Amino acid sequence: MNKIKNTEKIYWIIAVVVIVLAAGGFAGYRFWYQPSQVVDSEDSTLQTAVARKGDIILYAAGAGELIPSAEVEVSFDISDGIQEELVELLVGVGDMVEEGDILARLDDSDRQDNLVDAQRNLRELTSPSAIAQLEIDLAETMIDLEDDIGNFVGLISPAVYKAEGYVDEFTTALAEAQAAYDADPSDENEDLLKLAEQNLKWANSNLQVQWQYYEDDYVSENFEEYYWDGNEKVW
């Protein structure tokens, strides 16, 4: 009886061992074998290509309203007050334009008429007869100027007029000498500057002397003294 029980016990132990081994083998199969197959299957479906640099162009198709990325207002210059009518529009909304392109044209007939008038006036001013008349007017003006200068010299005396000329001349010479010295402070330019200063100093002194002569002698020698007493001139 005990022998039969031992035999059954051994059979159960063997059965349990077989079941454990089977379970372990199945787990090992799931862990090791199946994932490798899935990876192999996934790798087999991958596609490869050589990477290259270049532009990617995207196309889109559909209906809708085109909106510009930027808008700029343009207008015509009417600062001279001439109102002109738009006669030609050369571009539309959405057109691509570049700097310098003509966008529109105005009716410039008034400007063309003004140009024709200006050209006619220019021809008249530069015609031989117009030039001859200008020369005559210039000669008459020079004569009048010489007469005015003569009268002016007679009023202030030739000596004072000449002294005033020296002052103007040496004042200009001093300014030029000073500019030359500022640009190149050499010994030569320094000497010229000192000379110009001395000349101007002499000219101013001479002018004072001539004005004194004018008051002391020239007036009494060349003008009669008189004054007005009511409506009568008294000598």
Side-chain angles (χ1 to χ4, degrees), residues 131-185:
I131 295 175
Q133 184 61 45
L134 289 175
E135 291 176 348
I136 294 174
D137 295 340
L138 178 60
E140 293 176 351
T141 301
M142 294 299 298
I143 293 173
D144 294 339
L145 178 60
E146 291 178 358
D147 292 341
D148 292 339
I149 293 175
N151 294 332
F152 177 71
V153 171
L155 288 174
I156 66 172
S157 79
V160 171
Y161 179 78
K162 190 173 183 179
E164 291 280 4
Y166 283 140
V167 172
D168 292 340
E169 178 182 352
F170 290 135
T171 299
T172 302
L174 177 60
E176 294 175 351
Q178 184 66 57
Y181 179 77
D182 292 340
D184 179 18

Side-chain angles (χ1 to χ4, degrees), residues 8-33:
E8 290 177 353
K9 186 177 181 181
I10 292 172
Y11 285 155
W12 281 108
I13 293 173
I14 293 173
V16 171
V17 171
V18 170
I19 292 173
V20 171
L21 291 175
F26 180 77
Y29 172 80
R30 292 291 302 266
F31 183 80
W32 296 101
Y33 182 71

Side-chain angles (χ1 to χ4, degrees), residues 12-227:
W12 281 108
I13 293 173
I14 293 173
V16 171
V17 171
V18 170
I19 292 173
V20 171
L21 291 175
F26 180 77
Y29 172 80
R30 292 291 302 266
F31 183 80
W32 296 101
Y33 182 71
Q34 280 193 346
S36 64
Q37 285 186 335
V38 173
V39 173
D40 293 340
S41 176
E42 290 178 353
D43 292 340
S44 63
T45 60
L46 293 177
Q47 297 181 358
T48 61
V50 178
R52 296 182 176 88
K53 293 182 178 180
D55 297 332
I56 298 177
I57 302 176
L58 301 178
Y59 295 93
E65 181 180 359
L66 181 61
I67 300 176
S69 60
E71 295 184 2
V72 177
E73 294 184 1
V74 295
S75 60
F76 292 95
D77 182 12
I78 56 173
S79 57
D80 54 2
I82 299 178
Q83 299 293 333
E84 297 175 334
E85 181 181 357
L86 180 66
V87 295
E88 187 177 8
L89 185 62
L90 303 177
V91 295
V93 177
D95 291 348
M96 296 292 295
V97 297
E98 296 180 357
E99 183 178 357
D101 290 348
I102 298 177
L103 307 181
R105 289 190 175 91
L106 296 177
D107 180 12
D108 62 345
S109 56
D110 292 340
R111 295 181 184 272
Q112 293 295 333
D113 293 341
N114 294 339
L115 176 60
V116 171
D117 293 341
Q119 291 174 341
R120 181 176 59 254
N121 294 334
L122 178 61
R123 287 193 299 271
E124 291 177 354
L125 290 174
T126 58
S127 64
S129 59
I131 295 175
Q133 184 61 45
L134 289 175
E135 291 176 348
I136 294 174
D137 295 340
L138 178 60
E140 293 176 351
T141 301
M142 294 299 298
I143 293 173
D144 294 339
L145 178 60
E146 291 178 358
D147 292 341
D148 292 339
I149 293 175
N151 294 332
F152 177 71
V153 171
L155 288 174
I156 66 172
S157 79
V160 171
Y161 179 78
K162 190 173 183 179
E164 291 280 4
Y166 283 140
V167 172
D168 292 340
E169 178 182 352
F170 290 135
T171 299
T172 302
L174 177 60
E176 294 175 351
Q178 184 66 57
Y181 179 77
D182 292 340
D184 179 18
S186 62
D187 294 339
E188 180 180 359
N189 287 336
E190 184 178 5
D191 294 339
L192 292 176
L193 178 60
K194 291 179 179 179
L195 178 61
E197 292 174 346
Q198 293 174 1
N199 289 338
L200 181 58
K201 183 178 181 180
W202 169 85
N204 287 321
S205 177
N206 178 60
L207 179 60
Q208 293 179 359
V209 171
Q210 300 307 326
W211 273 119
Q212 189 64 44
Y213 160 76
Y214 172 83
E215 294 176 359
D216 294 342
D217 300 320
Y218 186 80
V219 172
S220 60
E221 293 175 357
N222 293 274
F223 300 99
E224 297 179 353
E225 296 183 1
Y226 64 90
Y227 65 93

